[in-house]
């Protein structure tokens, strides 16, 4: 059974992995991910706060703190010498 399947060449896998890595490391993907995590946090903490205003403040606070943390890490890791 093993002989029926050809082994994929390393260059083909490497190209696919580079494509996936470039998508996952793009800033737009990270911002969309931060948006959904902040929205999830705001929805799950709504039962504790019982207020849309506090839930929206939770969303805005978690989104902005995650945004600034991402920008800080991006700047810090980019300025590293090789």
């Amino acid at each position: 059974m093993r002989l029926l399947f050809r082994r994929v060449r390393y260059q083909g896998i490497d190209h696919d992995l580079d494509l996936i890595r470039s998508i996952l490391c793009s800033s737009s993907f990270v911002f969309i991910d931060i948006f959904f995590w902040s929205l999830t946090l705001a929805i799950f903490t709504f039962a504790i706060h019982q207020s849309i205003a506090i839930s929206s403040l939770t969303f805005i606070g978690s989104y902005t703190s995650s945004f600034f943390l991402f920008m800080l890490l991006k700047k810090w890791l980019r300025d590293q010498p090789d």
Side-chain angles (χ1 to χ4, degrees):
M1 190 69 177
R2 189 179 213 183
L3 297 173
L4 294 177
F5 295 106
R6 285 188 333 155
R7 293 189 63 149
V8 179
R9 295 183 184 222
Y10 180 72
Q11 291 83 12
I13 293 173
D14 190 40
H15 175 68
D16 292 341
L17 288 177
D18 286 339
L19 181 65
I20 292 170
R21 188 178 302 123
S22 69
I23 291 171
L24 290 177
C25 294
S26 69
S27 295
S28 59
F29 180 80
V30 173
F31 292 141
I32 291 169
D33 191 41
I34 290 172
F35 175 80
F36 283 116
W37 279 112
S38 298
L39 187 65
T40 303
L41 179 70
I43 289 171
F44 284 144
T45 60
F46 180 74
I48 297 169
H49 305 300
Q50 301 275 331
S51 171
I52 293 177
I54 300 298
S55 183
S56 63
L57 284 175
T58 303
F59 170 75
I60 292 169
S62 65
Y63 186 80
T64 56
S65 63
S66 300
F67 173 79
F68 286 123
L69 180 65
F70 171 71
M71 295 306 274
L72 179 72
L73 286 173
K74 186 176 176 181
K75 182 183 181 311
W76 181 62
L77 293 174
R78 183 177 293 162
D79 292 340
Q80 292 288 328
D82 287 336

